[in-house]
Amino acid sequence: MSDALIIPFNETESIVVSTDNSGGIGIKPDDVVKVTYDVVAYYSFRVAIMDCMAAGGDPFSVLIHNFCQENSWAEINAGINKGISEMGLTSIQVIGSTESNFSLLQSALGITVLGKKRNKERNEQQLFIKFAVIGTPLVGNEVIEHADQVAPLSLFKWMCQQKDVIHILPVGSKGILYKLKQIYPEFGQVQAKSDLDLFKSGGPGTCFLIAFHEESEDLIIEKAGPYFHRLRE
């Protein structure tokens, strides 16, 4: 249900592959959204790492596909390392390649994350399940203008580690309700309610959806603070 490919590796482990691309975002004259390459890389990395971890992957490598320009590598690497630092990932390796033979009119970047997952299903008992969105769906310049509403990567990692959080899905361009229907199709027949726009694009993973056991709600609200948005029928 997450945007990741899970490939069986052996009897006990699988490889989790997730990726994100961005185009027309950078410092070139023809770019649509003007931001520095460390920002571009950070938010592209967010999407890929969140998809990997939401699928149960323990990230071990990041691959960079750089079509921005050769001298942008240091900035791109800095943006990725910012995300790695926020999540406390000490053993992850970063490699990649740059298109240095030809110059594009617009910036383009691809990020791929590889992770390992133990072949063990999580407890998904559906009794007394509640839903919430952590963070706010933002896209384009909103990501920069309302950065204080973007769910921190450290908070996402904490949610992934909670046994009572039985589903966690980053919200992409199709919005909150689309993701919700992936884990709870019954929401297609009722009107989900929230203080957020359920149809708005989540851009570069600025928010994520969680399904959790009712008994852990107080702890989750306390940890998430202002990023917590209740979702109900």
Side-chain angles (χ1 to χ4, degrees):
M1 285 178 289
S2 63
D3 296 327
L5 176 65
I6 300 175
I7 306 170
F9 183 68
N10 54 39
E11 291 184 358
T12 60
E13 288 183 318
S14 294
I15 300 296
V16 181
V17 183
S18 58
T19 190
D20 183 68
N21 298 314
S22 65
I25 305 173
I27 62 172
K28 293 188 176 184
D30 289 338
D31 284 335
V32 178
V33 178
K34 297 291 196 298
V35 291
T36 56
Y37 289 128
D38 59 324
V39 175
V40 178
Y42 172 78
Y43 281 100
S44 189
F45 170 77
R46 277 183 62 99
V47 175
I49 199 81
M50 291 169 75
D51 280 336
C52 178
M53 295 181 68
D58 180 16
F60 64 85
S61 184
V62 179
L63 312 179
I64 303 172
H65 312 277
N66 174 25
F67 298 91
C68 297
Q69 54 193 36
E70 190 167 10
N71 62 4
S72 65
W73 182 268
E75 277 190 277
I76 292 170
N77 200 46
I80 291 172
N81 281 320
K82 176 186 175 183
I84 289 173
S85 177
E86 286 182 14
M87 303 195 84
L89 300 172
T90 57
S91 59
I92 195 167
Q93 295 182 318
V94 181
I95 62 170
S97 177
T98 296
E99 171 55 75
S100 56
N101 293 310
F102 302 99
S103 178
L104 279 67
L105 296 178
Q106 290 181 301
S107 302
L109 180 70
I111 302 291
T112 298
V113 173
L114 303 178
K116 291 187 290 186
K117 174 184 180 180
R118 293 194 62 82
N119 297 333
K120 180 180 178 182
E121 294 297 324
R122 300 174 67 182
N123 178 19
E124 297 189 0
Q125 183 181 4
Q126 295 299 313
L127 298 175
F128 309 112
I129 300 303
K130 289 196 171 184
F131 299 89
V133 176
I134 310 300
T136 301
L138 302 168
V139 67
N141 287 319
E142 293 176 339
V143 177
I144 307 303
E145 295 167 359
H146 303 288
D148 60 324
Q149 298 177 29
V150 176
L153 284 176
S154 56
L155 181 57
F156 177 83
K157 181 183 179 184
W158 183 88
M159 294 289 181
C160 287
Q161 295 171 335
Q162 305 308 301
K163 63 180 179 62
D164 283 339
V165 177
I166 61 171
H167 286 294
I168 180 165
L169 293 175
V171 175
S173 60
K174 295 182 180 180
I176 296 168
L177 191 59
Y178 174 83
K179 285 293 183 180
L180 181 62
K181 288 180 180 178
Q182 287 186 296
I183 59 176
Y184 189 27
E186 289 81 356
F187 264 94
Q189 283 74 50
V190 299
Q191 180 61 51
K193 298 178 181 178
S194 173
D195 60 341
L196 300 174
D197 184 343
L198 301 182
F199 298 93
K200 184 178 180 180
S201 169
T206 59
C207 64
F208 57 92
L209 172 70
I210 60 171
F212 57 94
H213 288 296
E214 183 177 63
E215 61 207 40
S216 63
E217 183 173 29
D218 290 343
L219 176 62
I220 288 174
I221 291 175
E222 179 182 359
K223 185 67 177 180
Y227 300 106
F228 184 89
H229 300 274
R230 195 183 309 279
L231 194 60
R232 59 197 181 278
E233 294 185 49

mmCIF file of all heavy atoms in Angstrom, residues 197-226:
data_model
loop_
_atom_site.group_PDB
_atom_site.id
_atom_site.type_symbol
_atom_site.label_atom_id
_atom_site.label_comp_id
_atom_site.label_asym_id
_atom_site.label_seq_id
_atom_site.Cartn_x
_atom_site.Cartn_y
_atom_site.Cartn_z
ATOM 1 N N ASP A 197 -7.691 19.779 4.024
ATOM 2 C CA ASP A 197 -8.268 19.477 2.717
ATOM 3 C C ASP A 197 -7.861 18.059 2.338
ATOM 4 O O ASP A 197 -6.688 17.789 2.080
ATOM 5 C CB ASP A 197 -7.756 20.486 1.689
ATOM 6 C CG ASP A 197 -8.390 20.308 0.303
ATOM 7 O OD1 ASP A 197 -8.964 19.233 0.040
ATOM 8 O OD2 ASP A 197 -8.284 21.237 -0.506
ATOM 9 N N LEU A 198 -8.813 17.147 2.278
ATOM 10 C CA LEU A 198 -8.520 15.729 2.049
ATOM 11 C C LEU A 198 -8.158 15.415 0.606
ATOM 12 O O LEU A 198 -7.686 14.320 0.317
ATOM 13 C CB LEU A 198 -9.711 14.881 2.474
ATOM 14 C CG LEU A 198 -10.149 15.001 3.936
ATOM 15 C CD1 LEU A 198 -11.320 14.071 4.219
ATOM 16 C CD2 LEU A 198 -8.997 14.711 4.871
ATOM 17 N N PHE A 199 -8.370 16.369 -0.291
ATOM 18 C CA PHE A 199 -8.105 16.126 -1.706
ATOM 19 C C PHE A 199 -6.844 16.845 -2.191
ATOM 20 O O PHE A 199 -6.404 16.636 -3.313
ATOM 21 C CB PHE A 199 -9.297 16.572 -2.558
ATOM 22 C CG PHE A 199 -10.561 15.813 -2.259
ATOM 23 C CD1 PHE A 199 -11.474 16.306 -1.338
ATOM 24 C CD2 PHE A 199 -10.830 14.602 -2.875
ATOM 25 C CE1 PHE A 199 -12.640 15.600 -1.049
ATOM 26 C CE2 PHE A 199 -11.984 13.892 -2.594
ATOM 27 C CZ PHE A 199 -12.894 14.396 -1.676
ATOM 28 N N LYS A 200 -6.265 17.678 -1.369
ATOM 29 C CA LYS A 200 -5.121 18.481 -1.778
ATOM 30 C C LYS A 200 -3.848 17.640 -1.864
ATOM 31 O O LYS A 200 -3.632 16.737 -1.060
ATOM 32 C CB LYS A 200 -4.906 19.620 -0.779
ATOM 33 C CG LYS A 200 -3.800 20.573 -1.169
ATOM 34 C CD LYS A 200 -3.671 21.713 -0.170
ATOM 35 C CE LYS A 200 -2.551 22.651 -0.578
ATOM 36 N NZ LYS A 200 -2.398 23.762 0.382
ATOM 37 N N SER A 201 -2.996 17.969 -2.813
ATOM 38 C CA SER A 201 -1.715 17.280 -2.958
ATOM 39 C C SER A 201 -0.848 17.456 -1.716
ATOM 40 O O SER A 201 -0.780 18.555 -1.146
ATOM 41 C CB SER A 201 -0.967 17.831 -4.183
ATOM 42 O OG SER A 201 0.364 17.367 -4.207
ATOM 43 N N GLY A 202 -0.204 16.354 -1.313
ATOM 44 C CA GLY A 202 0.733 16.408 -0.197
ATOM 45 C C GLY A 202 2.134 16.760 -0.632
ATOM 46 O O GLY A 202 3.065 16.728 0.175
ATOM 47 N N GLY A 203 2.304 17.110 -1.917
ATOM 48 C CA GLY A 203 3.605 17.533 -2.419
ATOM 49 C C GLY A 203 4.708 16.544 -2.062
ATOM 50 O O GLY A 203 4.545 15.336 -2.203
ATOM 51 N N PRO A 204 5.841 17.052 -1.561
ATOM 52 C CA PRO A 204 6.972 16.166 -1.239
ATOM 53 C C PRO A 204 6.848 15.526 0.141
ATOM 54 O O PRO A 204 7.724 15.666 0.989
ATOM 55 C CB PRO A 204 8.167 17.117 -1.309
ATOM 56 C CG PRO A 204 7.605 18.422 -0.868
ATOM 57 C CD PRO A 204 6.199 18.466 -1.405
ATOM 58 N N GLY A 205 5.727 14.842 0.374
ATOM 59 C CA GLY A 205 5.547 14.123 1.635
ATOM 60 C C GLY A 205 5.531 15.028 2.851
ATOM 61 O O GLY A 205 6.115 14.687 3.878
ATOM 62 N N THR A 206 4.848 16.166 2.759
ATOM 63 C CA THR A 206 4.829 17.102 3.890
ATOM 64 C C THR A 206 3.947 16.622 5.038
ATOM 65 O O THR A 206 4.015 17.160 6.137
ATOM 66 C CB THR A 206 4.360 18.496 3.449
ATOM 67 O OG1 THR A 206 3.043 18.404 2.889
ATOM 68 C CG2 THR A 206 5.320 19.084 2.410
ATOM 69 N N CYS A 207 3.113 15.617 4.779
ATOM 70 C CA CYS A 207 2.296 15.032 5.844
ATOM 71 C C CYS A 207 2.174 13.535 5.598
ATOM 72 O O CYS A 207 2.483 13.042 4.509
ATOM 73 C CB CYS A 207 0.907 15.682 5.910
ATOM 74 S SG CYS A 207 -0.126 15.422 4.450
ATOM 75 N N PHE A 208 1.715 12.821 6.610
ATOM 76 C CA PHE A 208 1.523 11.387 6.439
ATOM 77 C C PHE A 208 0.315 10.924 7.251
ATOM 78 O O PHE A 208 -0.076 11.537 8.239
ATOM 79 C CB PHE A 208 2.775 10.597 6.810
ATOM 80 C CG PHE A 208 3.297 10.818 8.212
ATOM 81 C CD1 PHE A 208 2.896 10.006 9.261
ATOM 82 C CD2 PHE A 208 4.213 11.828 8.465
ATOM 83 C CE1 PHE A 208 3.382 10.194 10.544
ATOM 84 C CE2 PHE A 208 4.711 12.031 9.751
ATOM 85 C CZ PHE A 208 4.302 11.209 10.793
ATOM 86 N N LEU A 209 -0.276 9.848 6.782
ATOM 87 C CA LEU A 209 -1.474 9.268 7.385
ATOM 88 C C LEU A 209 -1.076 8.120 8.299
ATOM 89 O O LEU A 209 -0.214 7.321 7.950
ATOM 90 C CB LEU A 209 -2.399 8.756 6.283
ATOM 91 C CG LEU A 209 -3.632 7.940 6.683
ATOM 92 C CD1 LEU A 209 -4.648 8.824 7.374
ATOM 93 C CD2 LEU A 209 -4.250 7.297 5.440
ATOM 94 N N ILE A 210 -1.702 8.054 9.479
ATOM 95 C CA ILE A 210 -1.457 6.918 10.368
ATOM 96 C C ILE A 210 -2.785 6.296 10.788
ATOM 97 O O ILE A 210 -3.797 6.977 10.930
ATOM 98 C CB ILE A 210 -0.653 7.305 11.627
ATOM 99 C CG1 ILE A 210 -1.402 8.364 12.462
ATOM 100 C CG2 ILE A 210 0.731 7.793 11.260
ATOM 101 C CD1 ILE A 210 -0.745 8.626 13.820
ATOM 102 N N ALA A 211 -2.765 4.976 10.965
ATOM 103 C CA ALA A 211 -3.857 4.239 11.602
ATOM 104 C C ALA A 211 -3.268 3.640 12.871
ATOM 105 O O ALA A 211 -2.199 3.031 12.820
ATOM 106 C CB ALA A 211 -4.377 3.148 10.675
ATOM 107 N N PHE A 212 -3.938 3.832 13.986
ATOM 108 C CA PHE A 212 -3.342 3.427 15.251
ATOM 109 C C PHE A 212 -4.403 2.887 16.205
ATOM 110 O O PHE A 212 -5.599 3.166 16.055
ATOM 111 C CB PHE A 212 -2.607 4.611 15.905
ATOM 112 C CG PHE A 212 -3.474 5.821 16.140
ATOM 113 C CD1 PHE A 212 -4.111 6.027 17.359
ATOM 114 C CD2 PHE A 212 -3.650 6.773 15.146
ATOM 115 C CE1 PHE A 212 -4.907 7.137 17.581
ATOM 116 C CE2 PHE A 212 -4.450 7.896 15.359
ATOM 117 C CZ PHE A 212 -5.080 8.073 16.580
ATOM 118 N N HIS A 213 -3.954 2.118 17.191
ATOM 119 C CA HIS A 213 -4.860 1.593 18.193
ATOM 120 C C HIS A 213 -5.313 2.705 19.141
ATOM 121 O O HIS A 213 -4.503 3.555 19.558
ATOM 122 C CB HIS A 213 -4.192 0.468 18.985
ATOM 123 C CG HIS A 213 -4.019 -0.795 18.196
ATOM 124 N ND1 HIS A 213 -5.079 -1.519 17.731
ATOM 125 C CD2 HIS A 213 -2.906 -1.458 17.793
ATOM 126 C CE1 HIS A 213 -4.637 -2.581 17.077
ATOM 127 N NE2 HIS A 213 -3.322 -2.566 17.090
ATOM 128 N N GLU A 214 -6.563 2.691 19.448
ATOM 129 C CA GLU A 214 -7.195 3.726 20.255
ATOM 130 C C GLU A 214 -6.453 3.988 21.571
ATOM 131 O O GLU A 214 -6.325 5.136 21.999
ATOM 132 C CB GLU A 214 -8.632 3.286 20.543
ATOM 133 C CG GLU A 214 -9.480 4.251 21.304
ATOM 134 C CD GLU A 214 -10.899 3.709 21.435
ATOM 135 O OE1 GLU A 214 -11.077 2.659 22.061
ATOM 136 O OE2 GLU A 214 -11.809 4.347 20.885
ATOM 137 N N GLU A 215 -5.935 2.946 22.185
ATOM 138 C CA GLU A 215 -5.301 3.089 23.497
ATOM 139 C C GLU A 215 -4.037 3.938 23.468
ATOM 140 O O GLU A 215 -3.593 4.441 24.503
ATOM 141 C CB GLU A 215 -4.969 1.711 24.059
ATOM 142 C CG GLU A 215 -3.995 0.936 23.188
ATOM 143 C CD GLU A 215 -4.141 -0.572 23.327
ATOM 144 O OE1 GLU A 215 -5.270 -1.060 23.420
ATOM 145 O OE2 GLU A 215 -3.102 -1.237 23.350
ATOM 146 N N SER A 216 -3.455 4.133 22.289
ATOM 147 C CA SER A 216 -2.221 4.909 22.199
ATOM 148 C C SER A 216 -2.463 6.359 21.778
ATOM 149 O O SER A 216 -1.507 7.111 21.569
ATOM 150 C CB SER A 216 -1.265 4.257 21.204
ATOM 151 O OG SER A 216 -1.829 4.267 19.896
ATOM 152 N N GLU A 217 -3.717 6.766 21.679
ATOM 153 C CA GLU A 217 -4.028 8.091 21.141
ATOM 154 C C GLU A 217 -3.403 9.221 21.958
ATOM 155 O O GLU A 217 -2.829 10.165 21.398
ATOM 156 C CB GLU A 217 -5.546 8.292 21.066
ATOM 157 C CG GLU A 217 -5.941 9.622 20.440
ATOM 158 C CD GLU A 217 -7.423 9.738 20.207
ATOM 159 O OE1 GLU A 217 -8.194 9.106 20.966
ATOM 160 O OE2 GLU A 217 -7.823 10.443 19.273
ATOM 161 N N ASP A 218 -3.483 9.164 23.264
ATOM 162 C CA ASP A 218 -2.946 10.249 24.092
ATOM 163 C C ASP A 218 -1.452 10.418 23.871
ATOM 164 O O ASP A 218 -0.944 11.548 23.782
ATOM 165 C CB ASP A 218 -3.233 9.987 25.577
ATOM 166 C CG ASP A 218 -4.704 10.134 25.919
ATOM 167 O OD1 ASP A 218 -5.444 10.741 25.108
ATOM 168 O OD2 ASP A 218 -5.123 9.644 26.987
ATOM 169 N N LEU A 219 -0.724 9.309 23.791
ATOM 170 C CA LEU A 219 0.721 9.366 23.576
ATOM 171 C C LEU A 219 1.046 9.963 22.217
ATOM 172 O O LEU A 219 1.953 10.800 22.087
ATOM 173 C CB LEU A 219 1.327 7.966 23.687
ATOM 174 C CG LEU A 219 2.821 7.849 23.384
ATOM 175 C CD1 LEU A 219 3.637 8.679 24.357
ATOM 176 C CD2 LEU A 219 3.263 6.389 23.427
ATOM 177 N N ILE A 220 0.286 9.560 21.206
ATOM 178 C CA ILE A 220 0.531 10.058 19.850
ATOM 179 C C ILE A 220 0.240 11.545 19.757
ATOM 180 O O ILE A 220 1.007 12.315 19.162
ATOM 181 C CB ILE A 220 -0.308 9.257 18.840
ATOM 182 C CG1 ILE A 220 0.275 7.848 18.695
ATOM 183 C CG2 ILE A 220 -0.360 9.950 17.482
ATOM 184 C CD1 ILE A 220 -0.551 6.920 17.848
ATOM 185 N N ILE A 221 -0.851 11.979 20.372
ATOM 186 C CA ILE A 221 -1.187 13.406 20.365
ATOM 187 C C ILE A 221 -0.109 14.213 21.078
ATOM 188 O O ILE A 221 0.311 15.284 20.612
ATOM 189 C CB ILE A 221 -2.560 13.644 21.032
ATOM 190 C CG1 ILE A 221 -3.676 13.078 20.147
ATOM 191 C CG2 ILE A 221 -2.795 15.127 21.292
ATOM 192 C CD1 ILE A 221 -5.044 13.142 20.764
ATOM 193 N N GLU A 222 0.357 13.704 22.199
ATOM 194 C CA GLU A 222 1.401 14.404 22.957
ATOM 195 C C GLU A 222 2.684 14.519 22.137
ATOM 196 O O GLU A 222 3.329 15.577 22.105
ATOM 197 C CB GLU A 222 1.685 13.663 24.263
ATOM 198 C CG GLU A 222 2.784 14.309 25.103
ATOM 199 C CD GLU A 222 3.095 13.527 26.368
ATOM 200 O OE1 GLU A 222 2.449 12.477 26.607
ATOM 201 O OE2 GLU A 222 3.986 13.958 27.117
ATOM 202 N N LYS A 223 3.064 13.444 21.460
ATOM 203 C CA LYS A 223 4.299 13.443 20.688
ATOM 204 C C LYS A 223 4.178 14.321 19.444
ATOM 205 O O LYS A 223 5.113 15.052 19.094
ATOM 206 C CB LYS A 223 4.653 12.007 20.279
ATOM 207 C CG LYS A 223 5.984 11.868 19.568
ATOM 208 C CD LYS A 223 7.134 12.168 20.485
ATOM 209 C CE LYS A 223 8.480 11.950 19.790
ATOM 210 N NZ LYS A 223 9.621 12.241 20.684
ATOM 211 N N ALA A 224 3.039 14.254 18.764
ATOM 212 C CA ALA A 224 2.864 14.989 17.507
ATOM 213 C C ALA A 224 2.595 16.473 17.723
ATOM 214 O O ALA A 224 2.932 17.291 16.871
ATOM 215 C CB ALA A 224 1.729 14.362 16.695
ATOM 216 N N GLY A 225 1.984 16.830 18.846
ATOM 217 C CA GLY A 225 1.719 18.233 19.139
ATOM 218 C C GLY A 225 0.888 18.900 18.051
ATOM 219 O O GLY A 225 -0.128 18.358 17.611
ATOM 220 N N PRO A 226 1.323 20.075 17.560
ATOM 221 C CA PRO A 226 0.520 20.825 16.578
ATOM 222 C C PRO A 226 0.438 20.160 15.207
ATOM 223 O O PRO A 226 -0.359 20.579 14.357
ATOM 224 C CB PRO A 226 1.261 22.162 16.483
ATOM 225 C CG PRO A 226 2.668 21.849 16.882
ATOM 226 C CD PRO A 226 2.550 20.784 17.930
#
